[in-house]
Amino acid sequence: MAKNTDSIPFTELVERTQELARERADVKSKVRGIVNDVYTREIPRKEDWSFFLVSSAMTLIEQYATGTVTANTGATTLTFSSDVVITSSMVGRKVKITGNDYVYEITAMSGATGATIRPPLSGDQNVTSVSYAIFQNLYALPSDFDRYPKNGGLVNYLGGQEVVIPEKPYQEWADEANYTPVNDPEFCRIIGVNTAGNALIEVNPPPKIAKSLKNDYLIRPRAMRETTIGLIGSIAASGTAVVGDGNTRFTEATTGDWFRINSFGKGSDSEWYRILAISGNSGLTLQTAFGLSGATSAGYTISSVPQMPARMHPSILYGTLTQLAADQNDPLYQGYNLKLAEVLSDGKRIYKTRNYQQDIHHLGEDYLYRR
């Protein structure tokens, strides 16, 4: 680890990996890529880690069911009664017409009392002045959403208690889905992405009333990065204010990233200082006092750090080394793999969100019965 912190920023992970794996300097971009792959894909998918679990809220939209609707079979236009107001916010929602078995999507407005639907009105009967319900059953999940915890993460409040809305697989969904809006959805599923690339969740039955649900989910970590552009103009010994020259781009960093002067050490010899505030491209404030020696006109690195406890940072190091060693048929692969397993095993005792029960649910799970 570095001289003055247990955390291992991205840049140090790359440098230490490159040194241990005996990689050439000109393949540093490959090492960066593997480090980020291990961090954003390999480690998160191994367990439901508590440090990747976050909580947010999802607000369900109330159905709109004012007045009546008229349409002809085979047509794509709905005509509502004069007391109905169709707005642009309803485009993309679904409509269920009383007496018609199908569910339609509103694709466009047609004046204040009309809408275009897809597919065309099905069945062999026209509908004339019948009731209907326009509802929103699809909702965009946060941009960093990866998956729900094993036991589910979309939560309703009933009788003052939290009730998980279970996630259904496709076949169960197809057997049980009901599109008549109700106050409390009973299950959900992840289905597709929107144009912004965010995962979509569908709740069923669709909501009849506006309601806020708790949304606990496991994040997809963002790739780590670094910046080294320009030079440090000055930083005083034991100071916290860092001044850059006209070329530095401190705003590419965020508070919580780490700063070092490169000439004071790299890799395991690095001296890192957490960034407390950024005032612009040439000004930032460190959380703790800089070392006993100041610096002027010096090269620097600002690096992001894995968003996980420091004791888990070595898992990225050893995970990257196992991939590099396997690629080279390196005999050290087994040692790196054992170190990775050791870090993950220690982490599971502290940071795993769900401990699987040993309860027997049916006779087939009892090993004495299977003998």
Side-chain angles (χ1 to χ4, degrees):
M1 67 181 65
K3 293 179 181 178
N4 60 337
T5 178
D6 291 339
S7 297
I8 312 178
F10 175 51
T11 301
E12 184 182 332
L13 284 167
V14 172
E15 292 170 347
R16 290 173 60 180
T17 298
Q18 200 164 8
E19 180 180 7
L20 289 169
R22 304 181 298 279
E23 292 283 354
R24 304 188 314 272
D26 60 351
V27 298
K28 194 169 187 177
S29 60
K30 179 182 82 170
V31 178
R32 286 196 190 99
I34 297 177
V35 167
N36 265 325
D37 282 345
V38 170
Y39 171 55
T40 61
R41 295 181 176 88
E42 294 294 325
I43 304 301
R45 75 185 184 187
K46 290 185 181 300
E47 301 290 343
D48 286 356
W49 302 108
S50 61
F51 45 79
F52 286 144
L53 183 66
V54 299
S55 185
S56 64
M58 178 186 298
T59 301
L60 303 183
I61 298 172
E62 183 179 8
Q63 71 167 8
Y64 186 83
T66 301
T68 59
V69 65
T70 297
N72 294 326
T73 183
T76 59
T77 300
L78 302 181
T79 302
F80 296 90
S81 54
S82 59
D83 53 345
V84 177
V85 178
I86 298 298
T87 67
S88 59
S89 65
M90 295 179 183
V91 174
R93 297 186 192 179
K94 303 295 196 302
V95 58
K96 181 75 170 64
I97 301 170
T98 301
N100 189 283
D101 292 333
Y102 296 85
V103 177
Y104 305 92
E105 179 184 356
I106 297 177
T107 59
M109 298 169 57
S110 179
T113 59
T116 302
I117 60 171
R118 180 176 57 201
L121 190 73
S122 300
D124 57 3
Q125 298 292 323
N126 297 336
V127 294
T128 304
S129 299
V130 299
S131 59
Y132 68 94
I134 295 174
F135 56 82
Q136 178 79 39
N137 62 332
L138 287 174
Y139 296 86
L141 290 163
S143 60
D144 60 353
F145 175 88
D146 183 59
R147 66 184 186 276
Y148 281 124
K150 182 70 174 179
N151 290 338
L154 193 61
V155 178
N156 194 7
Y157 289 94
L158 294 174
Q161 293 185 325
E162 291 187 354
V163 178
V164 172
I165 299 174
E167 188 178 351
K168 293 280 189 179
Y170 177 80
Q171 191 56 56
E172 290 184 27
W173 179 280
D175 292 341
E176 301 176 25
N178 174 16
Y179 290 93
T180 300
V182 298
N183 289 348
D184 298 298
E186 297 174 3
F187 49 89
C188 65
R189 66 172 173 171
I190 308 299
I191 177 169
V193 296
N194 62 11
T195 55
N198 294 351
L200 295 172
I201 185 172
E202 181 176 0
V203 295
N204 193 270
K208 184 176 183 179
I209 61 174
K211 190 159 193 175
S212 181
L213 302 177
K214 184 180 178 184
N215 191 37
D216 294 339
Y217 64 94
L218 293 158
I219 66 169
R220 181 177 63 253
R222 298 176 62 182
M224 297 180 285
R225 75 232 174 273
E226 63 182 8
T227 182
T228 60
I229 298 174
L231 296 172
I232 296 303
S234 65
I235 179 172
S238 301
T240 58
V242 180
V243 178
D245 64 14
N247 298 314
T248 51
R249 298 179 184 174
F250 292 164
T251 54
E252 291 182 356
T254 61
T255 56
D257 285 351
W258 293 72
F259 169 90
R260 79 176 182 195
I261 297 295
N262 295 335
S263 60
F264 289 180
K266 295 184 178 181
S268 299
D269 289 331
S270 299
E271 294 182 12
W272 292 103
Y273 299 88
R274 191 172 181 272
I275 297 173
L276 180 64
I278 300 172
S279 58
N281 274 328
S282 58
L284 58 83
T285 303
L286 304 179
Q287 186 176 38
T288 58
F290 195 69
L292 298 178
S293 299
T296 58
S297 299
Y300 73 97
T301 298
I302 293 177
S303 175
S304 53
V305 69
Q307 296 303 297
M308 57 172 64
R311 68 190 303 159
M312 291 293 294
H313 291 182
S315 65
I316 303 173
L317 174 67
Y318 294 122
T320 306
L321 285 167
T322 57
Q323 293 200 21
L324 291 170
D327 181 54
Q328 300 173 2
N329 295 316
D330 193 323
L332 292 175
Y333 171 82
Q334 293 295 336
Y336 294 145
N337 197 42
L338 286 172
K339 293 297 292 183
L340 172 62
E342 179 183 315
V343 176
L344 294 177
S345 179
D346 288 344
K348 283 190 285 188
R349 285 193 284 269
I350 305 173
Y351 304 118
K352 190 174 177 180
T353 64
R354 181 174 187 264
N355 292 319
Y356 289 84
Q357 300 295 320
Q358 300 299 317
D359 298 341
I360 294 174
H361 298 283
H362 56 79
L363 285 177
E365 294 180 16
D366 186 347
Y367 81 97
L368 291 175
Y369 177 82
R370 296 196 302 269
R371 290 177 61 183

